[in-house]
Amino acid sequence: MVSKNQIKLITSLQQKKYRVANQLFFAEGIKVIQELLESNFELVHLYLTLGDFEEVSNDKKTLINESDLKKISALTTPNTCLAVFKIPIQQEINDSGLVLALDSIRDPGNLGTILRLCDWFGINQIICSKDAVDIYNPKVVQATMGSIARVNVNYIDLATFIGQTPLQVFGTFMDGTNIYKTHLPQEGIIIMGNEANGISPEIEKLIKNRLTIPRFGTLQKTESLNVATATAIVLSEFRRA
């Protein structure tokens, strides 16, 4: 059974201010929770409707019914389990190799998908502008499908970082050079912009290497690519050795 206070706390974690205040977040679904349990994330408590997760001690898990799970879930159709974890201390930025920088990404699904892409392509570091969507937003956590456990994410003053980095800085624009015909290094900062407005003017002026994904359609009327789709193409090209 879930107490009223537990319900109040868990549902409050859907909002960033309460996640920050309590230094807690939650994840849903067997796959995501299993990935987090196998990582350095510290489990606070696990709520489940089935007798899974034998590796979790009984004092840290509670068997509940589907009705109670629905009360604490952020999903329209709740899964079979929900786990509360402590938000870890932010790790230092590893600015070697390829680093992905996200300028004001706001959509949780996009950030979650981008994090999965970084996990797939071996990008260990994402740096986000401070106004980007929170990595511990339940929708982001869900969309990462566990990759949140393997990619370091930092929120920083992006302009200051880019102005000081010794690495080459790349950005995606409509008027850049064709990415398919450009020699791309194995180290650098790759910047992807906001869903509606692209890379901000403040960041744009710091970028010396402008890339574009060319349109091949006959009518050339497609305005832009979804940022997660564009990120997949860009990372694939950088990894093409």
Side-chain angles (χ1 to χ4, degrees):
M1 183 176 178
V2 188
S3 70
K4 289 183 179 179
N5 285 338
Q6 288 171 322
I7 293 172
K8 183 177 180 180
L9 171 63
I10 295 168
T11 55
S12 76
L13 298 179
Q14 294 187 40
Q15 298 182 53
K16 182 179 179 180
K17 64 180 180 180
Y18 294 113
R19 292 194 295 273
V20 172
N22 293 283
Q23 286 299 288
L24 299 173
F25 74 100
F26 67 83
E28 301 190 63
I30 293 174
K31 176 175 173 53
V32 179
I33 292 173
Q34 193 67 59
E35 295 271 13
L36 293 175
L37 289 174
E38 293 173 0
S39 71
N40 294 324
F41 283 89
E42 183 178 345
L43 175 69
V44 175
H45 206 82
L46 171 64
Y47 303 88
L48 63 167
T49 59
L50 301 173
D52 296 318
F53 299 102
E54 297 294 330
E55 72 274 25
V56 177
S57 60
N58 290 331
D59 64 319
K60 285 204 170 186
K61 63 182 177 183
T62 300
L63 198 62
I64 62 174
N65 58 42
E66 291 183 5
S67 176
D68 281 342
L69 181 61
K70 192 168 185 178
K71 291 176 184 177
I72 59 177
S73 176
L75 301 175
T76 304
T77 304
N79 212 298
T80 59
C81 48
L82 180 150
V84 178
F85 291 89
K86 288 186 178 181
I87 292 177
I89 297 172
Q90 186 165 272
Q91 299 176 34
E92 290 186 6
I93 295 174
N94 177 10
D95 59 353
S96 61
L98 286 176
V99 176
L100 186 67
L102 304 179
D103 183 12
S104 301
I105 296 297
R106 300 295 177 84
D107 183 86
N110 281 335
L111 180 55
T113 301
I114 288 170
L115 206 143
R116 288 181 69 189
L117 287 166
C118 285
D119 190 15
W120 182 269
F121 285 107
I123 309 297
N124 300 317
Q125 178 70 59
I126 295 177
I127 52 176
C128 299
S129 57
K130 292 182 178 181
D131 60 348
V133 61
D134 180 25
I135 188 67
Y136 297 111
N137 178 306
K139 293 180 180 178
V140 177
V141 175
Q142 194 71 21
T144 70
M145 293 300 290
S147 290
I148 190 174
R150 291 182 292 275
V151 180
N152 188 35
V153 180
N154 291 74
Y155 289 79
I156 61 171
D157 183 321
L158 204 52
T160 298
F161 177 85
I162 293 170
Q164 296 174 348
T165 182
L167 297 173
Q168 291 187 71
V169 180
F170 297 82
T172 51
F173 301 91
M174 295 300 291
D175 62 349
T177 59
N178 187 334
I179 192 169
Y180 301 125
K181 298 180 179 179
T182 303
H183 174 71
L184 302 172
Q186 292 301 299
E187 286 198 334
I189 310 291
I190 305 166
I191 302 174
M192 305 300 295
N194 173 266
E195 290 89 346
N197 303 310
I199 294 172
S200 62
E202 179 187 22
I203 302 299
E204 181 177 357
K205 66 184 181 183
L206 300 173
I207 299 172
K208 294 181 179 179
N209 302 283
R210 300 169 67 94
L211 300 171
T212 193
I213 301 168
R215 291 180 292 187
F216 292 95
T218 303
L219 298 179
Q220 301 282 299
K221 285 191 175 183
T222 306
E223 194 171 289
S224 63
L225 287 173
N226 168 274
V227 65
T229 302
T231 300
I233 295 170
V234 170
L235 293 184
S236 179
E237 287 303 305
F238 268 88
R239 285 305 193 203
R240 188 193 298 273

